[in-house]
Amino acid sequence: MNTIKKLLTSVALTATSFSLLTGCSSADKTAIQDTADKFLEIVKSGTNEDIEKYASAEVSESEFVKTFDSEYLKQNFMDGFVSSEIDDATMERVESFCSLFSDMITDYKISEVSVDKSGVGTVVAMIDTSFPIDVIDNSEALELIEEQAQSYYAENEEQIVAMYEEKTEEEVEAYIYNDMIIKIIDVYEALIKEASPETYAITLTVEKNAETDSYYVTGVTSYDEASESTTQAATETATTVEATSSATGSSEEADASSSSVSE
């Protein structure tokens, strides 16, 4: 019995010594994990509401947070369009498509929590997504959209020419603009539907805020580099739409003029 007591005492002393050496305690680890959990729960929700309570300003505005912020992604997607040219039916499709962003993260799991002797925590977590975070901005999507743009007029030539005879130029161009937006959304939705779930590993740096005496996330690293381009895709796509609309409109005008001369 004495041997067992001595052994347990030795283990306890060793653990205490290690705790003092590293400057961490079980309470620190618990607080750090709790902060990381609350931070990731907000990111998973597809919003950034109250995220400043658990993250520094730099992290709150980081590309990582924006990658999963549905409102940011929607606004970025919409910024490339001329809002006044979008009709109600198209806007409904845009809203429906953008709602997919809020469900991008399906789950997350904290796999490791450690604290160094200065009290800085490192949290390793795995994030599961229903589709890859670069699904909007990848070569396949851009190639499909370009194909749609190039084939659009050829496939709809007769209908467009007939519309020019019945409607004003502004009305026809608005129709083309909205039709192309719908086709581009169709491409994205098909890619998302066909995509396989992905898992990304991230590392959070968690430190104590001297002002609030509570922990907050001060860094996010090791997530997939594709996230850096995700939020830029909508603008590039919208530029493609606008350029396509202009080019198509020019082709239509040229054809219409040619038709008038022939007549």
Side-chain angles (χ1 to χ4, degrees):
M1 289 292 291
N2 289 334
T3 301
I4 295 176
K5 285 183 178 179
K6 287 180 180 180
L7 180 60
L8 292 176
T9 301
S10 177
V11 170
L13 287 173
T14 301
T16 302
S17 299
F18 181 76
S19 178
L20 291 173
L21 179 64
T22 59
C24 79
S25 67
S26 59
D28 291 328
K29 272 193 169 185
T30 300
I32 287 169
Q33 180 163 342
D34 184 57
T35 295
D37 185 62
K38 286 180 169 123
F39 170 78
L40 290 172
E41 190 60 42
I42 292 174
V43 174
K44 177 179 179 291
S45 72
T47 73
N48 63 359
E49 186 177 355
D50 293 331
I51 201 165
E52 67 280 356
K53 291 181 180 179
Y54 308 103
S56 64
E58 182 178 2
V59 171
S60 297
E61 295 296 324
S62 69
E63 203 66 34
F64 172 77
V65 171
K66 290 176 181 177
T67 295
F68 302 105
D69 181 354
S70 59
E71 283 302 313
Y72 175 85
L73 293 173
K74 175 185 174 182
Q75 187 58 54
N76 211 34
F77 190 79
M78 291 297 300
D79 281 346
F81 301 134
V82 181
S83 299
S84 59
E85 296 292 330
I86 300 179
D87 60 32
D88 292 342
T90 302
M91 183 60 74
E92 187 174 338
R93 281 298 306 279
V94 170
E95 294 276 357
S96 175
F97 169 67
C98 289
S99 69
L100 297 175
F101 296 141
S102 62
D103 298 321
M104 192 187 305
I105 297 180
T106 56
D107 198 10
Y108 68 86
K109 180 181 180 181
I110 293 175
S111 59
E112 183 182 334
V113 180
S114 60
V115 190
D116 66 18
K117 60 184 179 181
S118 63
V120 177
T122 299
V123 178
V124 177
M126 308 299 288
I127 293 179
D128 298 327
T129 62
S130 55
F131 53 87
I133 58 179
D134 68 335
V135 71
I136 292 178
D137 187 23
N138 60 58
S139 58
E140 182 182 7
L142 298 179
E143 285 173 8
L144 288 171
I145 289 170
E146 188 174 347
E147 288 174 9
Q148 287 279 357
Q150 292 176 348
S151 63
Y152 179 81
Y153 183 68
E155 294 174 356
N156 297 275
E157 182 177 3
E158 291 184 8
Q159 180 184 2
I160 291 172
V161 170
M163 287 177 65
Y164 268 108
E165 294 176 356
E166 301 174 359
K167 301 178 181 294
T168 65
E169 180 179 326
E170 289 76 13
E171 289 174 328
V172 176
E173 289 181 354
Y175 173 85
I176 295 170
Y177 191 72
N178 282 273
D179 210 22
M180 277 304 305
I181 292 174
I182 294 294
K183 290 184 178 300
I184 288 171
I185 289 176
D186 286 343
V187 168
Y188 284 148
E189 287 182 341
L191 288 174
I192 288 174
K193 183 177 180 180
E194 296 167 3
S196 299
E198 291 283 349
T199 299
Y200 300 94
I202 64 166
T203 301
L204 306 179
T205 300
V206 185
E207 301 179 63
K208 181 166 283 190
N209 187 328
E211 295 180 1
T212 63
D213 196 37
S214 59
Y215 284 97
Y216 68 154
V217 178
T218 58
V220 183
T221 56
S222 299
Y223 60 95
D224 195 277
E225 291 179 359
S227 64
E228 295 177 4
S229 60
T230 301
T231 55
Q232 299 172 4
T235 302
E236 293 174 3
T237 300
T239 303
T240 302
V241 175
E242 190 169 359
T244 301
S245 178
S246 299
T248 307
S250 298
S251 298
E252 290 158 1
E253 290 173 16
D255 283 12
S257 299
S258 176
S259 177
S260 298
V261 171
S262 299
E263 292 174 355

